[in-house]
Amino acid sequence: MPDPMPEFDPFVFDLAVAEQVLDAQPFSRLLKTRITAFGDGEAVLELDIHEELEQQNGFLHGGVLAYAADNSLTFAAGSALGPSVLTSGFSIQYMRPARGRTLLARASVVHAGRRQAVARCDLVCVADDGTETLCAVAQGTVLNTSGS
């Protein structure tokens, strides 16, 4: 049985707590996802690209891009709404094949109210030489579930 969500002070939701929340997600552990920035309505997730995450043409699978978008949107919104959040919905537009050594999912809140936030995410692949290529963009709505 997976470990339950870690206990933490709802008024202290910083990078260290965000790392604990990410680590509590078995799928994120499987992909070895890292959260490298968190706070003030922003979040950045990173994961290494390797063959097991590719589709038949050698590009990063769209499902991995969607996972990274969903999670980074939710973390960005959580930094504005608090730790009890769930994605209500999101859309993603794939712009070019994703290939490189690392995927970055950079999300930021566009608007936050008391109960929900809208966030945007740029999905960028980093090549071996450090060149960044924008591969997809996503936008989503995240709901505050505390008191639900």
Side-chain angles (χ1 to χ4, degrees), residues 58-79:
F59 307 131
L60 186 61
H61 194 284
V64 176
L65 289 161
Y67 149 79
D70 177 19
N71 228 6
S72 65
L73 291 166
T74 304
F75 272 100
S79 76

PDB file of all heavy atoms in Angstrom, residues 58-79:
ATOM      1  N   GLY A  58      10.749   7.403 -31.563  1.00  0.00           N
ATOM      2  CA  GLY A  58      11.883   7.907 -30.804  1.00  0.00           C
ATOM      3  C   GLY A  58      11.647   9.252 -30.135  1.00  0.00           C
ATOM      4  O   GLY A  58      12.584   9.861 -29.627  1.00  0.00           O
ATOM      5  N   PHE A  59      10.398   9.720 -30.121  1.00  0.00           N
ATOM      6  CA  PHE A  59      10.059  10.978 -29.454  1.00  0.00           C
ATOM      7  C   PHE A  59       9.473  10.664 -28.084  1.00  0.00           C
ATOM      8  O   PHE A  59       8.878   9.606 -27.878  1.00  0.00           O
ATOM      9  CB  PHE A  59       9.031  11.773 -30.266  1.00  0.00           C
ATOM     10  CG  PHE A  59       9.410  11.993 -31.694  1.00  0.00           C
ATOM     11  CD1 PHE A  59       8.514  11.730 -32.710  1.00  0.00           C
ATOM     12  CD2 PHE A  59      10.674  12.467 -32.043  1.00  0.00           C
ATOM     13  CE1 PHE A  59       8.858  11.922 -34.037  1.00  0.00           C
ATOM     14  CE2 PHE A  59      11.028  12.673 -33.355  1.00  0.00           C
ATOM     15  CZ  PHE A  59      10.115  12.394 -34.369  1.00  0.00           C
ATOM     16  N   LEU A  60       9.608  11.608 -27.162  1.00  0.00           N
ATOM     17  CA  LEU A  60       8.986  11.445 -25.850  1.00  0.00           C
ATOM     18  C   LEU A  60       7.478  11.266 -26.043  1.00  0.00           C
ATOM     19  O   LEU A  60       6.838  11.999 -26.803  1.00  0.00           O
ATOM     20  CB  LEU A  60       9.268  12.686 -24.985  1.00  0.00           C
ATOM     21  CG  LEU A  60       8.801  12.620 -23.538  1.00  0.00           C
ATOM     22  CD1 LEU A  60       9.479  11.484 -22.783  1.00  0.00           C
ATOM     23  CD2 LEU A  60       9.077  13.949 -22.856  1.00  0.00           C
ATOM     24  N   HIS A  61       6.916  10.283 -25.380  1.00  0.00           N
ATOM     25  CA  HIS A  61       5.488   9.972 -25.529  1.00  0.00           C
ATOM     26  C   HIS A  61       4.629  11.141 -25.068  1.00  0.00           C
ATOM     27  O   HIS A  61       4.925  11.785 -24.048  1.00  0.00           O
ATOM     28  CB  HIS A  61       5.145   8.713 -24.730  1.00  0.00           C
ATOM     29  CG  HIS A  61       3.826   8.135 -25.066  1.00  0.00           C
ATOM     30  ND1 HIS A  61       2.644   8.679 -24.632  1.00  0.00           N
ATOM     31  CD2 HIS A  61       3.497   7.063 -25.831  1.00  0.00           C
ATOM     32  CE1 HIS A  61       1.637   7.965 -25.093  1.00  0.00           C
ATOM     33  NE2 HIS A  61       2.134   6.973 -25.828  1.00  0.00           N
ATOM     34  N   GLY A  62       3.563  11.422 -25.798  1.00  0.00           N
ATOM     35  CA  GLY A  62       2.654  12.511 -25.445  1.00  0.00           C
ATOM     36  C   GLY A  62       2.037  12.355 -24.070  1.00  0.00           C
ATOM     37  O   GLY A  62       1.737  13.347 -23.402  1.00  0.00           O
ATOM     38  N   GLY A  63       1.866  11.121 -23.621  1.00  0.00           N
ATOM     39  CA  GLY A  63       1.328  10.896 -22.281  1.00  0.00           C
ATOM     40  C   GLY A  63       2.260  11.394 -21.194  1.00  0.00           C
ATOM     41  O   GLY A  63       1.815  11.873 -20.148  1.00  0.00           O
ATOM     42  N   VAL A  64       3.563  11.297 -21.428  1.00  0.00           N
ATOM     43  CA  VAL A  64       4.542  11.807 -20.461  1.00  0.00           C
ATOM     44  C   VAL A  64       4.481  13.331 -20.435  1.00  0.00           C
ATOM     45  O   VAL A  64       4.529  13.948 -19.364  1.00  0.00           O
ATOM     46  CB  VAL A  64       5.968  11.302 -20.794  1.00  0.00           C
ATOM     47  CG1 VAL A  64       6.995  11.907 -19.852  1.00  0.00           C
ATOM     48  CG2 VAL A  64       6.020   9.783 -20.743  1.00  0.00           C
ATOM     49  N   LEU A  65       4.349  13.941 -21.611  1.00  0.00           N
ATOM     50  CA  LEU A  65       4.197  15.404 -21.671  1.00  0.00           C
ATOM     51  C   LEU A  65       2.927  15.833 -20.937  1.00  0.00           C
ATOM     52  O   LEU A  65       2.943  16.808 -20.174  1.00  0.00           O
ATOM     53  CB  LEU A  65       4.155  15.879 -23.122  1.00  0.00           C
ATOM     54  CG  LEU A  65       5.469  15.792 -23.880  1.00  0.00           C
ATOM     55  CD1 LEU A  65       5.222  15.833 -25.376  1.00  0.00           C
ATOM     56  CD2 LEU A  65       6.395  16.917 -23.473  1.00  0.00           C
ATOM     57  N   ALA A  66       1.829  15.110 -21.150  1.00  0.00           N
ATOM     58  CA  ALA A  66       0.566  15.455 -20.485  1.00  0.00           C
ATOM     59  C   ALA A  66       0.680  15.299 -18.970  1.00  0.00           C
ATOM     60  O   ALA A  66       0.191  16.148 -18.210  1.00  0.00           O
ATOM     61  CB  ALA A  66      -0.570  14.598 -21.032  1.00  0.00           C
ATOM     62  N   TYR A  67       1.330  14.226 -18.511  1.00  0.00           N
ATOM     63  CA  TYR A  67       1.555  14.041 -17.078  1.00  0.00           C
ATOM     64  C   TYR A  67       2.313  15.239 -16.498  1.00  0.00           C
ATOM     65  O   TYR A  67       1.946  15.791 -15.460  1.00  0.00           O
ATOM     66  CB  TYR A  67       2.332  12.740 -16.806  1.00  0.00           C
ATOM     67  CG  TYR A  67       3.210  12.834 -15.586  1.00  0.00           C
ATOM     68  CD1 TYR A  67       2.677  12.705 -14.302  1.00  0.00           C
ATOM     69  CD2 TYR A  67       4.570  13.120 -15.716  1.00  0.00           C
ATOM     70  CE1 TYR A  67       3.484  12.847 -13.182  1.00  0.00           C
ATOM     71  CE2 TYR A  67       5.375  13.257 -14.601  1.00  0.00           C
ATOM     72  CZ  TYR A  67       4.827  13.122 -13.338  1.00  0.00           C
ATOM     73  OH  TYR A  67       5.627  13.287 -12.233  1.00  0.00           O
ATOM     74  N   ALA A  68       3.412  15.626 -17.172  1.00  0.00           N
ATOM     75  CA  ALA A  68       4.241  16.719 -16.663  1.00  0.00           C
ATOM     76  C   ALA A  68       3.461  18.029 -16.644  1.00  0.00           C
ATOM     77  O   ALA A  68       3.585  18.817 -15.703  1.00  0.00           O
ATOM     78  CB  ALA A  68       5.506  16.856 -17.510  1.00  0.00           C
ATOM     79  N   ALA A  69       2.655  18.260 -17.671  1.00  0.00           N
ATOM     80  CA  ALA A  69       1.832  19.471 -17.710  1.00  0.00           C
ATOM     81  C   ALA A  69       0.833  19.470 -16.559  1.00  0.00           C
ATOM     82  O   ALA A  69       0.733  20.447 -15.803  1.00  0.00           O
ATOM     83  CB  ALA A  69       1.103  19.580 -19.052  1.00  0.00           C
ATOM     84  N   ASP A  70       0.090  18.392 -16.416  1.00  0.00           N
ATOM     85  CA  ASP A  70      -0.924  18.284 -15.366  1.00  0.00           C
ATOM     86  C   ASP A  70      -0.312  18.522 -13.993  1.00  0.00           C
ATOM     87  O   ASP A  70      -0.805  19.328 -13.200  1.00  0.00           O
ATOM     88  CB  ASP A  70      -1.566  16.903 -15.444  1.00  0.00           C
ATOM     89  CG  ASP A  70      -2.591  16.623 -14.354  1.00  0.00           C
ATOM     90  OD1 ASP A  70      -3.105  17.579 -13.733  1.00  0.00           O
ATOM     91  OD2 ASP A  70      -2.884  15.440 -14.122  1.00  0.00           O
ATOM     92  N   ASN A  71       0.790  17.857 -13.710  1.00  0.00           N
ATOM     93  CA  ASN A  71       1.393  17.962 -12.385  1.00  0.00           C
ATOM     94  C   ASN A  71       1.967  19.354 -12.130  1.00  0.00           C
ATOM     95  O   ASN A  71       1.821  19.906 -11.036  1.00  0.00           O
ATOM     96  CB  ASN A  71       2.464  16.880 -12.224  1.00  0.00           C
ATOM     97  CG  ASN A  71       2.344  16.126 -10.922  1.00  0.00           C
ATOM     98  OD1 ASN A  71       1.410  16.303 -10.165  1.00  0.00           O
ATOM     99  ND2 ASN A  71       3.307  15.283 -10.657  1.00  0.00           N
ATOM    100  N   SER A  72       2.635  19.930 -13.119  1.00  0.00           N
ATOM    101  CA  SER A  72       3.222  21.259 -12.889  1.00  0.00           C
ATOM    102  C   SER A  72       2.135  22.327 -12.773  1.00  0.00           C
ATOM    103  O   SER A  72       2.264  23.252 -11.962  1.00  0.00           O
ATOM    104  CB  SER A  72       4.228  21.616 -13.985  1.00  0.00           C
ATOM    105  OG  SER A  72       3.599  21.741 -15.231  1.00  0.00           O
ATOM    106  N   LEU A  73       1.056  22.206 -13.544  1.00  0.00           N
ATOM    107  CA  LEU A  73      -0.064  23.140 -13.403  1.00  0.00           C
ATOM    108  C   LEU A  73      -0.625  23.076 -11.981  1.00  0.00           C
ATOM    109  O   LEU A  73      -0.915  24.108 -11.367  1.00  0.00           O
ATOM    110  CB  LEU A  73      -1.179  22.809 -14.407  1.00  0.00           C
ATOM    111  CG  LEU A  73      -0.885  23.065 -15.875  1.00  0.00           C
ATOM    112  CD1 LEU A  73      -1.926  22.371 -16.759  1.00  0.00           C
ATOM    113  CD2 LEU A  73      -0.824  24.555 -16.184  1.00  0.00           C
ATOM    114  N   THR A  74      -0.763  21.873 -11.466  1.00  0.00           N
ATOM    115  CA  THR A  74      -1.337  21.694 -10.136  1.00  0.00           C
ATOM    116  C   THR A  74      -0.401  22.222  -9.049  1.00  0.00           C
ATOM    117  O   THR A  74      -0.849  22.862  -8.094  1.00  0.00           O
ATOM    118  CB  THR A  74      -1.683  20.214  -9.905  1.00  0.00           C
ATOM    119  OG1 THR A  74      -2.562  19.795 -10.948  1.00  0.00           O
ATOM    120  CG2 THR A  74      -2.385  20.009  -8.575  1.00  0.00           C
ATOM    121  N   PHE A  75       0.895  21.980  -9.197  1.00  0.00           N
ATOM    122  CA  PHE A  75       1.836  22.526  -8.210  1.00  0.00           C
ATOM    123  C   PHE A  75       1.855  24.052  -8.247  1.00  0.00           C
ATOM    124  O   PHE A  75       1.860  24.703  -7.194  1.00  0.00           O
ATOM    125  CB  PHE A  75       3.244  21.959  -8.408  1.00  0.00           C
ATOM    126  CG  PHE A  75       3.476  20.676  -7.672  1.00  0.00           C
ATOM    127  CD1 PHE A  75       3.408  19.461  -8.335  1.00  0.00           C
ATOM    128  CD2 PHE A  75       3.757  20.669  -6.317  1.00  0.00           C
ATOM    129  CE1 PHE A  75       3.619  18.270  -7.656  1.00  0.00           C
ATOM    130  CE2 PHE A  75       3.968  19.484  -5.625  1.00  0.00           C
ATOM    131  CZ  PHE A  75       3.898  18.273  -6.303  1.00  0.00           C
ATOM    132  N   ALA A  76       1.863  24.641  -9.436  1.00  0.00           N
ATOM    133  CA  ALA A  76       1.859  26.103  -9.533  1.00  0.00           C
ATOM    134  C   ALA A  76       0.607  26.664  -8.851  1.00  0.00           C
ATOM    135  O   ALA A  76       0.683  27.595  -8.044  1.00  0.00           O
ATOM    136  CB  ALA A  76       1.930  26.547 -10.990  1.00  0.00           C
ATOM    137  N   ALA A  77      -0.543  26.082  -9.169  1.00  0.00           N
ATOM    138  CA  ALA A  77      -1.795  26.546  -8.564  1.00  0.00           C
ATOM    139  C   ALA A  77      -1.797  26.305  -7.059  1.00  0.00           C
ATOM    140  O   ALA A  77      -2.280  27.139  -6.293  1.00  0.00           O
ATOM    141  CB  ALA A  77      -2.978  25.857  -9.218  1.00  0.00           C
ATOM    142  N   GLY A  78      -1.242  25.173  -6.628  1.00  0.00           N
ATOM    143  CA  GLY A  78      -1.166  24.882  -5.203  1.00  0.00           C
ATOM    144  C   GLY A  78      -0.345  25.900  -4.440  1.00  0.00           C
ATOM    145  O   GLY A  78      -0.623  26.191  -3.276  1.00  0.00           O
ATOM    146  N   SER A  79       0.652  26.479  -5.108  1.00  0.00           N
ATOM    147  CA  SER A  79       1.452  27.506  -4.428  1.00  0.00           C
ATOM    148  C   SER A  79       0.642  28.780  -4.206  1.00  0.00           C
ATOM    149  O   SER A  79       0.982  29.594  -3.360  1.00  0.00           O
ATOM    150  CB  SER A  79       2.732  27.806  -5.212  1.00  0.00           C
ATOM    151  OG  SER A  79       2.485  28.597  -6.340  1.00  0.00           O
TER     152      SER A  79
END
